């Protein structure tokens, strides 16, 4: 394929230890490995007054659109994170000679908001009055317009692809879904010592923050020696632990942030089970990394997770917002070591089909389709 010049832009920091930052760097590396030139634009590449504060949702798309128009001669296509694509999409609609817009949907904004509202009704999320007013008035119209203006939409789950085609009315030829890449498989020996469970993610409602305390209370009552590690919470230990019943706080360890790749690999090696009680997900890197590391997984059957995990074959899936089912899934993996080993072994074999090279090829094909 003819080498491409691509811009990949998202209003997040470029830190490689965050999910969005790691996705951008891995995708760019894979594209570069196939001969393309990729420019990464993160929030730090724009003035702080544009990317910080509540008004960034309005300022950043405008600033990004203006910069892309100014630098139009330096790239062949722009890949923009979903909420920020509207301004450039409108510019391209007015001037079709501008390079194509590919919108990157890590998790459809409208679907996430609907999920959080439903979860709030069950007590597993909180959606403030401000969010209920601002999101439908500002954030969702931005995303909706960007999706409809984009030349092509990239997404990370078949669920989102179906929503875009069946409910949003986009032609199937304008939507590409793919699974993120997994790291290389590493040999694993199940750890010794007390049963250990790992959770990786920000301490956010969408990550299952309100599912986890009752889930863990059930596990701890049935298996008093079990230990839970929370990694990457972004919040202090006392703040996070305050949401757990006092009776189980002594069994929980909080690690606000882990930056080094080797430190994360060591954590996978020391834990018996990964639990992912998310309310919504795209193609979670942590899940792919755990499977590659040979850690049995129990995860909510949401978003792109069922595209990665086959229930009872490569992991255990449970219904979202069901802390009891989640706790039972974790207990099953902790108590039935034969099952855990069988699931982990098959997961390690199957996860090898998901590569960053495959992500790069999917993007290549999408760009080629809109440039013909």
């Amino acid at each position: 394929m003819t080498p491409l010049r691509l811009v990949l832009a998202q209003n997040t920091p470029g830190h490689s230890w965050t999910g969005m930052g790691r996705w951008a760097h891995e995708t760019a590396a894979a594209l570069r490995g196939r001969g393309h030139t990729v420019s990464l634009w993160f929030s730090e590449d724009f003035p702080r007054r544009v990317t910080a504060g509540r008004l960034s949702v309005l300022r950043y798309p405008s600033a990004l659109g203006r910069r892309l128009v100014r630098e139009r001669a330096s790239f062949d296509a722009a890949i923009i994170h979903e909420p920020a694509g509207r301004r450039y999409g409108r510019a391209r609609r007015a001037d079709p000679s501008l390079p194509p817009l590919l919108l990157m949907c890590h998790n459809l904004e409208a679907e996430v908001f609907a999920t959080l509202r439903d979860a709030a009704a069950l007590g597993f999320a909180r959606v403030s009055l401000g969010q209920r007013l601002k999101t439908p008035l500002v954030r969702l119209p931005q995303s909706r317009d960007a999706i409809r203006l984009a030349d092509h939409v990239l997404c990370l789950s078949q669920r989102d692809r179906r929503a875009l085609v069946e409910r949003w009315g986009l032609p199937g030829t304008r939507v590409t879904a793919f699974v993120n890449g997994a790291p290389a498989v590493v040999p694993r020996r199940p750890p010794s010592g007390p049963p250990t469970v790992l959770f990786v993610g920000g301490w956010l409602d969408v990550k299952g923050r309100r599912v986890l305390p009752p889930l863990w209370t059930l596990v701890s009552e049935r298996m008093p020696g079990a230990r839970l590690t929370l990694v990457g919470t972004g919040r202090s230990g006392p703040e996070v632990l305050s949401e757990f019943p006092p009776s189980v706080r002594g069994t929980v360890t909080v690690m606000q942030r882990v930056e080094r790749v080797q430190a994360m690999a060591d954590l996978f090696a020391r834990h018996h089970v990964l639990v992912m009680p998310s309310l919504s997900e795209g193609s979670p890197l942590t899940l792919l990394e755990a499977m590659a590391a040979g850690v049995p997984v129990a995860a909510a059957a949401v978003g792109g997770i069922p595209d990665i995990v086959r229930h009872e074959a490569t992991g255990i899936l449970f219904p979202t917002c069901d802390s009891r089912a989640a706790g039972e899934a974790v207990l099953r993996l902790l108590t039935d070591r034969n099952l855990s080993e069988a699931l982990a072994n098959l997961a390690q074999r199957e996860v090898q089909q998901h590569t960053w090279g495959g992500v790069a090829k999917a993007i290549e094909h999408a760009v080629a389709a809109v440039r013909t």
Side-chain angles (χ1 to χ4, degrees):
M1 184 178 183
T2 303
L4 297 166
R5 300 169 304 160
L6 303 173
V7 169
L8 199 164
Q10 54 192 43
N11 188 21
T12 63
H15 306 311
S16 59
W17 67 80
T18 66
M20 290 282 288
R22 189 157 78 254
W23 182 88
H25 286 294
E26 293 282 7
T27 299
L31 287 163
R32 289 167 183 154
R34 294 179 62 81
H36 308 298
T37 300
V38 183
S39 298
L40 292 174
W41 295 359
F42 294 110
S43 56
E44 54 265 34
D45 298 308
F46 291 81
R48 182 166 174 76
R49 62 180 172 76
V50 168
T51 60
R54 294 181 178 179
L55 291 180
S56 67
V57 70
L58 298 174
R59 291 172 176 159
Y60 176 74
S62 295
L64 174 62
R66 289 194 298 269
R67 181 177 175 184
L68 288 167
V69 171
R70 284 197 310 267
E71 301 185 22
R72 60 191 294 171
S74 66
F75 64 95
D76 301 311
I79 303 169
I80 303 177
H81 184 211
E82 175 191 341
R86 178 165 69 174
R87 179 63 180 265
Y88 183 69
R90 286 179 173 175
R92 173 157 162 75
R93 183 65 61 91
D95 180 2
S97 68
L98 285 168
L101 165 63
L102 286 82
L103 208 66
M104 184 65 230
C105 298
H106 290 267
N107 213 348
L108 277 173
E109 296 277 328
E111 299 293 313
V112 174
F113 183 63
T115 295
L116 287 174
R117 283 190 311 178
D118 292 344
L122 299 172
F124 288 107
R126 181 178 178 273
V127 182
S128 68
L129 178 60
Q131 288 174 300
R132 291 178 185 272
L133 294 174
K134 185 177 72 173
T135 302
L137 289 174
V138 180
R139 186 83 168 185
L140 297 188
Q142 280 187 325
S143 295
R144 181 180 62 246
D145 289 351
I147 287 169
R148 290 175 175 160
L149 290 166
D151 296 277
H152 201 92
V153 179
L154 305 168
C155 60
L156 295 178
S157 72
Q158 291 299 328
R159 181 181 185 273
D160 280 353
R161 187 181 190 281
R162 286 192 296 272
L164 290 167
V165 173
E166 296 172 7
R167 295 205 297 277
W168 293 60
L170 269 63
T173 54
R174 280 182 55 200
V175 184
T176 296
F178 54 82
V179 172
N180 281 328
V185 167
V186 296
R188 173 179 166 87
R189 178 178 297 175
S192 57
T196 50
V197 178
L198 180 65
F199 165 88
V200 182
W203 198 241
L204 305 168
D205 286 354
V206 75
K207 292 295 184 181
R209 157 193 168 187
R210 297 175 193 272
V211 179
L212 202 50
L215 177 167
W216 186 245
T217 301
L218 172 64
V219 173
S220 192
E221 288 173 351
R222 300 262 195 95
M223 193 174 283
R227 296 292 181 267
L228 172 65
T229 306
L230 311 177
V231 176
T233 58
R235 299 194 184 184
S236 68
E239 184 179 5
V240 172
L241 290 174
S242 69
E243 300 190 22
F244 286 80
S247 61
V248 303
R249 290 174 190 168
T251 68
V252 181
T253 299
V254 179
M255 303 178 70
Q256 193 166 346
R257 189 166 78 191
V258 173
E259 298 182 10
R260 293 187 303 109
V261 173
Q262 186 55 53
M264 199 65 234
D266 292 342
L267 283 167
F268 283 127
R270 297 203 305 268
H271 287 80
H272 293 92
V273 173
L274 174 85
V275 64
M276 184 169 283
S278 304
L279 308 184
S280 183
E281 285 285 354
S283 183
L285 297 180
T286 296
L287 184 67
L288 292 158
E289 290 165 356
M291 294 169 72
V295 183
V297 300
V302 297
I305 291 177
D307 299 338
I308 301 169
V309 177
R310 292 192 296 122
H311 182 52
E312 303 280 357
T314 58
I316 296 181
L317 300 177
F318 53 82
T320 187
C321 295
D322 191 335
S323 55
R324 175 163 291 278
E328 295 288 356
V330 170
L331 284 165
R332 190 176 169 200
L333 291 175
L334 290 176
T335 57
D336 191 338
R337 295 297 174 86
N338 290 332
L339 172 66
S340 293
E341 186 174 349
L343 296 179
N345 288 341
L346 184 55
Q348 276 197 315
R349 291 199 293 273
E350 291 196 1
V351 80
Q352 295 178 73
Q353 68 184 298
H354 304 306
T355 67
W356 290 107
V359 171
K361 288 181 182 178
I363 293 174
E364 279 181 351
H365 293 155
V367 174
V370 298
R371 294 187 72 216
T372 54

